[in-house]
Amino acid sequence: MSRTSASAATVEKDAEPQGSMSIEGVILDIDYAAINGKVVIRVTVKGLDGKTYDLMDDDFKPYFYFVPSGEADSDSILKMSTNDMGRKITPVKVEEDEKSFFGRPTKLFRVYMETPSDIPKFSSYMMRYGKCYEYDIPFSRRYGIDKDVTPLHVYRFSASKTPDYIKLNGMSFLNEIGELNLNTLWFDIEVYNPLEVPRENVDPIIMLSYKYVSGGKEGEGVITFKKIDRPFVEVVKDETALINRFVEIVNQHDIDVISGYNSANFDIRYMIARAKALGIDFNLSRGYGDTRIERHGLVDKVKIGGRVHVDMYLVIKFVSVVGAAEHLLKLNSYTLKNVYEAISDDKKISVEKKSIWKLWDGSIEDLELLAEYNLNDSYALMKVYNTFMPIMIELSRTTGNVLSDVSVSTTGQLVEYLLMRYARRYNEVIPNKPSEYEIEDRLKNPIIGAYVKTPDPGIYEHLAIFDFRGLYPSIIISHNIDPSTLCTDCKDYFESPTGARFDKNRKGISPMILELLINQRKEVKKAYKKDPNNIFLGSRSQALKITANSFYGYLGYARSRWYSRDCASSVTAWGRQYIAKTIEEAEKAGLKVIYGDTDSIVVLLGNKTDEEALAFMRAFNASLPGAMELELEDFFVRAVFVGKKHEKDPAGAKKKYAMLSTSGRIKIRGFELVRRDWSRIARDTQRNVLEAILKEGSAEKAANIVKEVVQRLRSGTVPLGELAISTQLRKSIDKYDSKSPELSAAKKAVEAGVKSKDEVEHAVISYVITSHGGSVSDKAELEEMAKDYDADYYINSQVMPAVMKILKELNYNEDELKNLGKQKKL
DNA sequence: GATAGCCGGGG
DNA sequence: GTGTACGGCTATC
């Protein structure tokens, strides 16, 4: 290492090193740039020497595969061309190749194009002459697949200096490491918001806080342009200077990872918009590239050239969905405050978002509070990052996705990339993404889940939930379940309870990868036991589990390249047999199973102790094959189950329950109304009803709460603030074809001169349904304009839908709750 | 019964 | 950008 890092360390930015270089480091990111009209892959490497390198591979060309339906040879394909806005698009090279396609040997042509963007254009033209494959794989991912490289593990890179850039000539795997010393910065902006929703072209960024670690040093600060007498505050001239100063700090500390909270959707987006409005450049990139926002499926992804952006809000949602964050189990809303307070003993400094602009316009004390709040947000973010990022890092290493992709991906996308890498390694054609038509078709025919036992709706006490998540991976492995092993005429096969057959003599890619993941996890767990403070081992174990557990979902995910109904339904069918066994064993141990489905059971402990329940779990686990493991999710004091199995949604039952854990927190699933487009009275009443049931165990008390609310509503005395419903208009009011209450309220406000058109554009409309008018929209008025309210609307369309989800299954009917409310009044 | 539109996080 | 969202819900037609 001394030789290589010594030579790497001599490479200064301004120096002109001669000849070849050898660099040891980890891959932070892979993207591409056009340099002198040439498409070049950039591998951003963090050297073990602490420096960062842009290594450019200019020898990698975009390509796709073509299987002609008739006769064709390389020369004839090379001569083909199509037009794109007057530009001729034609291959630059064509090679013959042979690959396996779902187990069948297939001859195909590899068609190279000049630029990545020509691939979709030319392949869609070629589809009229045959079948095309691998035309929908983003160029930088293609590179990662073909080079078979894993980010964040140590490689030795050989490179050489050219006049334009450092050229990457090759890389070889060296070793795995745990902790990465990445220069990391956490930040948060505050924005002037007199209309509540800040307007990008008008409302300035007034403060920006940051914390960083870089090269072992730490720092923090708040940048603003009003004088605030606090040691951490740096006062600059104006908003432009604030933005520029931030870019300067990022450069000065050579930041590798920039992290925010909801920063893709807000902070970075807002900074880009403000820079545009101010007419200044805003670019956080290092080396090539700009700072922009790309759509990445469900979420927006921030792309910063040469650096990694991580939006912790997306990370939090990810780890919550996959169940990798016990701290967050009971959260219904993932605000930074909620998340921070769930992982720490501190409270976060809290400020009402609506009044941030007032603090800015207020007293010296107000300004100081705002600055402290701003800095505290970056601090809280850093804590949240340090708690949850190790899992993301290990997921990157496990699946091969670059770090900036992990947190914006679903588990299905992570698994898909892993499968694509293995497909390439085993010379398998990567199947195409399904068409929208196919997706629709798949969605219409959902895979039958392994539904076992529906709960009788009601209130239960003293329970435990056990989670059985290793079940499906081990079923896939032990029966060699894979789209490529499905067979009708093979001799040796596993036959699933659905009748599907899986060839025993040809190993499928999914079972093979799963086996590797599970064996790795065994090793990691062993090492972790010896070194329990090593969070990287703990996180790696989690990452391996998350990845393994995602394979089944991927088989049945409608957008999957390797979707297979037969495979997915075979997995669940076999799963039913195992869960039945689990239930049987639990009951033998004296635990009543009130509910169970594909991968979890809820047991009534009765007079058994928690320790006895754990003893059952351990004994049962000992009887299972290695990969399978029943785990405890939590113990609960009380629970209300109201979910009901539905013909159309057999899994629906598991989604509707509320539980009070032994630690006193409430976990609500399936009927949350923690949304601003429900009135506070509906949200509060639902919450009060659940709390009455969970904390006092009484459905009657809950019903009385509803009756009182109905009575209060009828009496006309409920303050309008409790009745306001907030919905944001996403476009200007003239651009809607449809009618809706929020739109109607906004239009009336404009007509009455209460609001200008500008003020309601993209604004959150807070409205009340009044008693005047026909349809709901006719009755909608801005909260500040409303004089009364429509009690029937709030009873029938707000409170009742919210509470009946719970009380209906506890044998209360709507009329009873409403009529009794009336009687009481009489 | 189908369709349009919004929420989530942030300020 | 070798691209284009999820699942649930309401109001409207």
Side-chain angles (χ1 to χ4, degrees), chain A residues 774-792:
Chain A
S775 70
V776 177
S777 290
D778 293 340
K779 293 178 182 174
E781 292 269 15
L782 232 52
E783 181 188 347
E784 58 201 89
M785 291 170 67
K787 298 263 183 312
D788 64 358
Y789 64 85
D790 180 352
D792 283 340

Side-chain angles (χ1 to χ4, degrees), chain A residues 678-820:
Chain A
W678 281 85
S679 62
R680 211 166 74 217
I681 200 160
R683 295 196 304 247
D684 287 353
T685 309
Q686 187 189 63
R687 175 131 207 114
N688 292 339
V689 160
L690 281 170
E691 280 191 6
I693 293 173
L694 290 177
K695 292 194 173 156
E696 305 187 37
S698 163
E700 200 190 327
K701 282 197 173 150
N704 284 334
I705 290 171
V706 179
K707 289 172 194 168
E708 273 172 40
V709 169
V710 168
Q711 191 191 343
R712 265 181 69 217
L713 277 166
R714 288 224 172 96
S715 71
T717 57
V718 177
L720 297 185
E722 284 188 52
L723 304 172
I725 299 165
S726 298
T727 306
Q728 184 168 20
L729 291 175
R730 300 289 183 164
K731 31 189 182 183
S732 128
I733 54 171
D734 308 319
K735 295 205 173 122
Y736 284 90
D737 298 324
S738 62
K739 217 173 142 183
S740 66
E742 60 274 18
L743 180 66
S744 154
K747 280 183 171 168
K748 282 188 217 168
V750 172
E751 276 161 32
V754 175
K755 295 269 179 192
S756 71
K757 238 182 197 178
D758 280 352
E759 282 173 318
V760 295
E761 182 162 344
H762 300 289
V764 175
I765 306 298
S766 197
Y767 64 90
V768 169
I769 303 304
T770 68
S771 61
H772 311 286
S775 70
V776 177
S777 290
D778 293 340
K779 293 178 182 174
E781 292 269 15
L782 232 52
E783 181 188 347
E784 58 201 89
M785 291 170 67
K787 298 263 183 312
D788 64 358
Y789 64 85
D790 180 352
D792 283 340
Y793 173 83
Y794 283 97
I795 293 166
N796 295 321
S797 300
Q798 291 278 320
V799 173
M800 283 302 155
V803 301
M804 286 316 287
K805 289 170 187 227
I806 304 154
L807 291 174
K808 192 169 82 190
E809 302 303 337
L810 300 178
N811 294 324
Y812 284 88
N813 69 55
E814 205 173 317
D815 286 343
E816 187 184 350
L817 292 168
K818 286 193 286 190
N819 290 337
L820 280 171

Side-chain angles (χ1 to χ4, degrees), chain A residues 86-123:
Chain A
R87 192 173 64 91
K88 187 178 166 188
I89 300 180
T90 186
V92 291
K93 192 167 75 173
V94 179
E95 287 171 352
E96 286 181 37
D97 205 346
E98 190 170 325
K99 280 180 168 281
S100 155
F101 188 61
F102 287 111
R104 294 191 313 276
T106 307
K107 280 193 191 299
L108 15 70
F109 292 96
R110 189 190 273 218
V111 183
Y112 290 88
M113 306 299 294
E114 190 59 46
T115 68
S117 57
D118 283 348
I119 298 278
K121 288 169 191 155
F122 194 65
S123 62

